[in-house]
Amino acid sequence: MGWLWAIIVGFVLGLLAKAIIPGKQHSPLWLTTIFGILGAIVGNAIARGIGIDETSGIDWGRHALQLAAAVVIVLLGDMAYSKMRGRRHHA
């Protein structure tokens, strides 16, 4: 069940990140989901590092860090994907 939640959270975070980033992103949905999963992992690590990983109620701070990390990872990942894809078309 943990993997299913990771995929669902990654999917949602990836889509939210794509919606926040201006312009069009070219990475496919499966890759966006992986970027979202990575964003959740990085956001959790940052939250744990600054001591807000476990609070009573909804962890808004942790969720904000997850989304921020997903935005950065989706942005960088999409740039890398576009660059790699462009090289393939030119080769």
Side-chain angles (χ1 to χ4, degrees), residues 1-2 4 13-14 20-21 26 37 41 47 49 56 60 68 73 77 81:
M1 204 61 174
L4 179 61
L13 280 174
I20 290 171
I21 298 169
H26 303 284
I37 292 169
I41 292 168
S56 59
W60 293 111
I73 291 171
Y81 176 79

Side-chain angles (χ1 to χ4, degrees), residues 33-77:
T33 302
I34 291 172
F35 293 154
I37 292 169
L38 292 173
I41 292 168
V42 170
N44 281 340
I46 293 169
R48 192 174 310 115
I50 61 176
I52 61 169
D53 59 330
E54 290 187 30
T55 58
S56 59
I58 299 174
D59 294 329
W60 293 111
R62 181 172 56 95
H63 296 316
L65 289 170
Q66 289 174 334
L67 181 57
V71 167
V72 171
I73 291 171
V74 167
L75 180 65
L76 295 176

